[in-house]
Amino acid sequence: LVLNEDRARLAKRDGAVTLAEIGVDRALAQISASLGWPPSDLPGMLARFDPAQLPRHPWIYVPVFTR
């Protein structure tokens, strides 16, 4: 579960951002950071991925994207 900065469930009204707007490299970097991994490319992330290691607690999404 992802929560916004007000600790409410993240919703479209929180400001949807598309992959085209932020770019693949930045999206992968943010996903890596959210999992506590060092920056990596997609093949490196897939090699490391283990569903059993995904966090089970909600986390707060703080946007770092600037338009």
Side-chain angles (χ1 to χ4, degrees):
L1 178 63
V2 181
L3 306 176
N4 66 19
E5 293 177 280
D6 295 328
R7 302 189 64 79
R9 186 177 181 172
L10 195 63
K12 290 181 205 175
R13 69 179 169 274
D14 293 315
V17 177
T18 67
L19 182 59
E21 290 176 310
I22 63 172
V24 173
D25 292 336
R26 186 173 215 173
L28 290 176
Q30 289 181 342
I31 293 168
S32 287
S34 74
L35 294 169
W37 297 351
S40 183
D41 59 2
L42 186 56
M45 290 174 66
L46 290 172
R48 181 179 191 132
F49 182 71
D50 177 6
Q53 298 300 315
L54 291 174
R56 300 286 185 241
H57 59 281
W59 56 275
I60 307 296
Y61 174 73
V62 179
V64 294
F65 172 73
T66 56
R67 293 181 188 227

